[in-house]
Amino acid sequence: MTRLPQSLRDRASDHSPSAGNQDPQAPGWRTVLVRALGSGSMASIVSTLVVSVRSWRRSRSVPAGTNAASQWVWDWPARHAGGWSARHTLLGYAIHHASSLMWATGYEAWGRRRPADPPLLRAAGVATLAYVVDYHVVPRRLSPGFENRIGAAGVAAAYAGFALGLALCDLAKARRHRSGAPRPQRGAELVQPGQHAQQERRQQQGQP
């Protein structure tokens, strides 16, 4: 049997299917899930704050928008619940938080596959997809349900807050990275050429 030269075997192994096309620096799926806990929690908190503020302005009830999400369990009465309660407020937030973690997993998976894409671009894409699924794909009972409590402008603000929350961790990390980068030492750059010239003159004159 004819044997391939060593160089050909090395190049074939470099392009073998087992090597794959993924970036070796890309985080593993466990890391993606851990990151989704952070970005999803931030998205849940920020969007809930937006919904609560809009609920207060429109219906004078802070938990009304959050209560509406409990329609997954309690159906239409949840959309009209205005007071604080574990039955509606706590359950509604738990549903919203779980949904946020699910979408955050998609956000982090996108970042794993295309790390060069800006965080805000990925977050806006995921938030847009979430809106389409929530209000144009799933049954109404599985939607957030807060549209009647916060209005169309409030819905837009809620999804914008959701997108911002998704990207906050990455934006903060990028800012820390920029602020922690070492600054160029201009003084050293100016001194080194002069020292180098002096050393050359000494070598030409035979001095140590």
Side-chain angles (χ1 to χ4, degrees):
M1 181 176 180
T2 304
R3 298 183 62 185
L4 293 174
Q6 182 67 28
S7 60
L8 293 179
R9 290 203 304 271
D10 293 341
R11 280 183 287 180
S13 63
D14 291 340
H15 296 281
S16 62
S18 61
N21 296 322
Q22 292 185 353
D23 183 359
Q25 301 297 327
W29 283 107
R30 179 176 296 180
T31 303
V32 168
L33 295 177
V34 171
R35 290 181 178 178
L37 289 175
S39 57
S41 296
M42 288 301 302
S44 175
I45 293 171
V46 173
S47 56
T48 297
L49 289 174
V50 174
V51 170
S52 299
V53 171
R54 300 292 302 193
S55 295
W56 170 253
R57 290 181 178 179
R58 188 178 177 90
S59 60
R60 294 304 175 189
S61 173
V62 172
T66 302
N67 291 344
S70 66
Q71 68 176 347
W72 282 35
V73 176
W74 308 120
D75 204 3
W76 68 268
R79 296 194 292 270
H80 301 281
W84 298 92
S85 68
R87 178 185 178 91
H88 294 295
T89 311
L90 185 59
L91 177 60
Y93 180 76
I95 292 172
H96 175 64
H97 193 83
S99 178
S100 298
L101 295 181
M102 181 195 71
W103 288 112
T105 302
Y107 167 80
E108 297 294 348
W110 182 347
R112 178 181 185 270
R113 186 174 181 83
R114 299 177 60 90
D117 290 347
L120 285 176
L121 173 65
R122 292 187 281 128
V126 171
T128 301
L129 179 60
Y131 169 79
V132 172
V133 172
D134 287 344
Y135 286 102
H136 298 282
V137 177
V138 300
R140 184 181 181 185
R141 183 169 179 172
L142 298 182
S143 70
F146 49 52
E147 62 278 358
N148 293 329
R149 292 294 193 164
I150 64 177
V155 172
Y159 281 91
F162 182 77
L164 178 61
L166 283 177
L168 270 180
C169 292
D170 285 336
L171 293 175
K173 188 186 302 182
R175 184 173 182 179
R176 287 197 302 268
H177 179 74
R178 288 195 299 268
S179 62
R183 297 181 179 179
Q185 298 179 357
R186 295 185 178 181
E189 292 176 355
L190 295 175
V191 171
Q192 288 177 359
Q195 293 178 347
H196 184 66
Q198 291 178 2
Q199 291 177 357
E200 288 183 349
R201 286 196 299 268
R202 290 177 180 176
Q203 292 176 357
Q204 293 175 358
Q205 296 174 0
Q207 297 178 0

